[in-house]
Amino acid sequence: MEYRKLPRGGEDISILGLGTSSVGAASEREIEETVTFALENGINYFDMASADAKPFGAYGRAVAGSRDKVYYQIHFGANYETGSYGWTVNLDTVKQSIDWQLRMLKTDYIDFGFIHCIDEPSDLKKVLSGGILPYIQELKKQGIVRHIGLSSHTPALVNQVLDMDLIDMVMFSINPGYDYRHGDYAIGNVEERMALYRRCEAEGVGISVMKAFSGGQLLNAKTSPFGKALSEYQCIQYALDKPGVVTVLPGIRGKSDLERILGFFTVLPEERDYSVLGTFAPQAAGGICVYCNHCQPCPAGLDVGLINKYYDLTKAGDKLAHSHYLKLEKKADACIGCGHCDSRCPFHVNQMKRMKSIGTYFGE
Ligand code: SF4
Ligand code: SF4
């Protein structure tokens, strides 16, 4: 397992976590075995926005004894009183649901207390005026909630909450389909979405990724908006390469799904390479560097993807990225203008020109 640090707090979070949306299809016993298997493989981050109530007890039993090694993302607004998931902004219902979730999980604290699924401005108003946010903040004061988070599919609303400087983590849907405007939750164009990822990184807000496979649509040529399938490993790598991302949370259906997902760490780099995407979505993707490094090797030894990432982040106000850039052994001014990257880039980035702009920007 690999881990990334949560910028605000410093917790080491596994780059692969688990989503619970589909695991309810398995028996309680299998869910318990799957969570145990996840823990044995170093997974320590679990989102609890489940489609039904079933997983909570199984998680509670599997995690008992290793609670201090696990981070739960718990949603203030997910309600399970009928046995199935329901969305609510009623404060009393939220309180009852949180009590029930903590009881089932056999815990008395919440690592990440999430404002849940805010996609419309009216939802945000209800959370702010209906007492849910003050409730989360009160629990944070008491030490019951350790970090406040937000789940949303809407960049404009995430930006609005970022303006309030409340949250340490945002759960956001990132996949190539949504980024290039395909699918129900593909909100915001690619520039707006990339700007949000950069803002999160610049402000030290981590991103936990939901819908990395677009609900499975991207994995099948028949349902993929590009007419061609991507693999789970390509989608995971795509999400992990975006600025701000701390962890990706695939929604698994049981142990065999998890075993396959963990293959991400052992497959050849070619199997994670998603640069083929540039041929799927040339119009929307054109000219924007996605830091994939498909253009390597650069004969001058430049890490093209990283230089571009630090440049974009610095422009978004990330001082740390600026200092990382300055520490690079080979910077943009070392570009010899050979054109190799331009000829290799599937996203049609004019990288020679961009390297000149980057060099000028950093005063080289
Ligand atoms: S220039 Fe193209 S190939 Fe190179 S990192 Fe950027 S997007 Fe990827
Ligand atoms: S154009 Fe510059 S950055 Fe691109 S491969 Fe050549 S030397 Fe490297």
Side-chain angles (χ1 to χ4, degrees):
M1 183 52 62
E2 293 168 28
Y3 298 85
R4 290 184 179 175
K5 275 208 187 302
L6 182 74
R8 300 183 185 181
E11 290 92 335
D12 289 311
I13 292 176
S14 55
I15 62 168
L16 280 184
L18 287 193
T20 37
S21 58
S22 313
V23 81
S27 66
E28 282 209 40
R29 193 170 162 190
E30 184 177 353
I31 298 172
E32 202 174 322
E33 278 172 14
T34 306
V35 176
T36 303
F37 183 67
L39 294 170
E40 286 164 2
N41 281 278
I43 289 178
N44 65 5
Y45 201 83
F46 300 97
D47 179 69
M48 299 310 296
S50 172
D52 54 64
K54 197 201 282 179
F56 287 87
Y59 269 70
R61 289 190 292 280
V63 171
S66 38
R67 175 67 184 95
D68 58 335
K69 297 181 187 70
V70 159
Y71 302 109
Y72 280 130
Q73 202 172 257
I74 291 184
H75 295 255
F76 287 63
N79 177 31
Y80 299 96
E81 64 190 341
T82 64
S84 297
Y85 166 81
W87 182 83
T88 182
V89 284
N90 179 290
L91 183 58
D92 289 336
T93 312
V94 167
K95 285 182 176 177
Q96 280 162 18
S97 177
I98 291 297
D99 287 348
W100 176 84
Q101 291 182 59
L102 290 178
R103 226 171 28 250
M104 296 306 283
L105 293 171
K106 299 182 194 296
T107 186
D108 56 5
Y109 69 94
I110 295 168
D111 305 280
F112 292 84
F114 265 56
I115 303 166
H116 176 60
C117 200
I118 299 298
D119 283 332
E120 301 291 338
S122 56
D123 299 342
L124 184 58
K125 266 194 201 134
K126 282 178 204 150
V127 165
L128 297 179
S129 63
I132 294 176
L133 179 61
Y135 173 50
I136 303 176
Q137 287 173 312
E138 178 53 37
L139 292 185
K140 189 168 181 219
K141 260 192 219 146
Q142 293 171 15
I144 294 171
V145 166
R146 306 277 160 92
H147 297 277
I148 299 178
L150 165 77
S151 63
S152 175
H153 301 89
T154 311
L157 285 173
V158 178
N159 276 311
Q160 220 176 310
V161 176
L162 287 174
D163 290 343
M164 298 174 199
D165 197 18
L166 287 171
I167 55 171
D168 299 334
M169 182 78 97
V170 60
M171 188 191 204
F172 194 74
S173 43
I174 301 181
N175 65 60
Y178 293 176
D179 280 353
Y180 297 113
R181 305 198 90 161
H182 296 286
D184 293 348
Y185 294 103
I187 301 164
N189 61 31
V190 64
E191 285 88 358
E192 191 182 2
R193 295 172 67 86
M194 292 289 272
L196 174 66
Y197 312 151
R198 288 196 286 267
R199 180 176 179 189
C200 286
E201 170 127 356
E203 297 183 8
V205 174
I207 302 176
S208 57
V209 176
M210 60 175 154
K211 302 192 173 68
F213 314 142
S214 186
Q217 285 179 332
L218 285 167
L219 308 178
N220 184 326
K222 286 195 182 115
T223 52
S224 164
F226 304 116
K228 290 184 186 159
L230 288 169
S231 71
E232 291 166 323
Y233 305 142
Q234 287 171 310
C235 293
I236 291 170
Q237 189 65 58
Y238 176 88
L240 285 172
D241 283 348
K242 298 296 151 287
V245 170
V246 174
T247 183
V248 178
L249 311 171
I252 48 131
R253 290 162 301 185
K255 195 172 170 193
S256 64
D257 275 0
L258 179 55
E259 281 169 340
R260 196 183 58 255
I261 295 280
L262 285 168
F264 177 78
F265 295 106
T266 48
V267 292
L268 293 170
E270 292 81 348
E271 290 187 56
R272 302 177 184 188
D273 183 328
Y274 53 85
S275 55
V276 66
L277 179 64
T279 62
F280 293 178
Q283 281 170 349
I288 297 170
C289 180
V290 295
Y291 325 125
C292 65
N293 261 339
H294 189 71
C295 50
Q296 294 289 6
C298 160
L302 275 71
D303 187 329
V304 178
L306 200 59
I307 287 172
N308 277 268
K309 196 184 236 184
Y310 288 159
Y311 170 60
D312 286 337
L313 286 168
T314 304
K315 284 204 304 178
D318 187 336
K319 293 197 174 69
L320 205 62
H322 190 177
S323 94
H324 286 332
Y325 178 84
L326 297 179
K327 284 193 202 117
L328 286 175
E329 212 171 290
K330 294 271 172 75
K331 303 189 183 61
D333 65 336
C335 170
I336 54 173
C338 70
H340 171 77
C341 53
D342 284 7
S343 66
R344 284 273 294 160
C345 176
F347 299 93
H348 314 296
V349 177
N350 186 341
Q351 195 55 254
M352 276 200 302
K353 196 170 155 207
R354 203 167 144 87
M355 281 296 172
K356 279 207 182 104
S357 310
I358 296 174
T360 307
Y361 180 86
F362 287 107
E364 288 155 7

